[in-house]
């Protein structure tokens, strides 16, 4: 009787429910809800359960805690990286890694072809280290050459500073 041998409750599927709905459903089965984390998922309703442990369908003892992960109401804030002077490929890779999207690629005359010469957020320049929500879209302004064409870069290896100038 001390271990409640043979007495168990089946864990319900709580995914997609609000915290209040999940708590009420668990209390009806003599189980307790405990929020342990939150994540942000675009497709899930804000504040809803996105993961649980133990999984639905498992048998547990009465009074057991069911650990919940909720969908955050807003995406995490991150620091905007410095993309100016990176190549197009490097900048896109950095944005992808930290969770930002590329909205558009614009080209303007500049000696450096496919180099990032400006980074824009909602049409305005955004400074490195500015706080921005993960998942937002950034416009990259890239160089297209002095006259919109490719510019050859000479081989400078082995030359002195004076010779390079």
């Amino acid at each position: 009787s001390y271990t409640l041998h043979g007495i168990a409750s089946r864990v319900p599927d709580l995914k997609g429910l609000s915290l209040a709905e999940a708590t009420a459903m668990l209390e009806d089965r003599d189980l307790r809800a405990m929020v342990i984390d939150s994540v942000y998922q675009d497709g899930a309703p804000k504040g809803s359960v996105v993961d649980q442990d133990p999984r639905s369908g498992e048998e547990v003892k009465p009074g057991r805690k069911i650990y919940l992960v909720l969908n955050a109401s807003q995406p995490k804030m991150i620091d905007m990286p410095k993309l100016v002077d990176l190549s197009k490929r490097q900048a896109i890779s950095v944005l992808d890694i930290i969770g930002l999207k590329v909205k558009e690629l614009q080209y303007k005359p500049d000696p450096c072809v496919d180099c990032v010469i400006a980074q824009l957020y909602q049409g305005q320049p955004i400074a490195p280290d500015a706080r921005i929500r993960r998942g937002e879209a950034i416009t990259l302004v890239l160089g297209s050459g002095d006259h919109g064409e490719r510019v050859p870069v000479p081989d400078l290896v082995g030359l002195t500073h004076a010779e390079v100038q």
Side-chain angles (χ1 to χ4, degrees):
S1 68
Y2 177 75
T3 62
L4 301 175
H5 181 73
I7 301 173
S9 295
R10 187 173 301 276
V11 177
D13 184 9
L14 304 171
K15 289 184 182 174
L17 299 178
S18 69
L19 179 58
E21 293 168 332
T23 301
M25 187 179 281
L26 291 173
E27 286 175 354
D28 288 345
R29 291 179 165 86
D30 195 21
L31 301 172
R32 295 184 298 151
M34 177 171 272
V35 177
I36 58 168
D37 201 2
S38 67
V39 297
Y40 184 79
Q41 295 180 355
D42 280 333
K46 294 175 182 173
S48 67
V49 176
V50 293
D51 197 15
Q52 69 184 66
D53 184 37
R55 302 276 179 227
S56 65
E58 291 188 26
E59 299 277 331
V60 297
K61 300 285 183 190
R64 168 80 189 263
K65 291 179 187 173
I66 307 301
Y67 300 100
L68 305 175
V69 176
L70 300 181
N71 190 29
S73 60
Q74 293 186 10
K76 180 179 173 185
M77 295 294 286
I78 57 175
D79 292 332
M80 180 68 196
K82 180 181 185 276
L83 303 173
V84 174
D85 296 330
L86 294 180
S87 70
K88 175 175 78 171
R89 195 174 108 221
Q90 288 173 315
I92 291 171
S93 178
V94 167
L95 290 174
D96 186 50
I97 288 168
I98 65 169
L100 295 173
K101 300 172 186 167
V102 177
K103 178 181 181 182
E104 178 183 7
L105 299 175
Q106 296 178 357
Y107 287 89
K108 292 197 174 171
D110 189 82
C112 187
V113 177
D114 278 346
C115 295
V116 178
I117 56 176
Q119 54 195 42
L120 308 175
Y121 173 62
Q122 296 179 341
Q124 300 296 318
I126 182 168
D129 296 327
R131 302 290 285 167
I132 185 171
R133 281 187 175 81
R134 176 172 280 166
E136 294 288 338
I138 302 298
T139 298
L140 298 176
V141 181
L142 306 169
S144 62
D146 280 331
H147 303 289
E149 56 200 43
R150 298 205 174 260
V151 176
V153 177
D155 183 9
L156 305 176
V157 176
L159 299 180
T160 66
H161 183 27
E163 293 171 326
V164 168
Q165 293 299 340

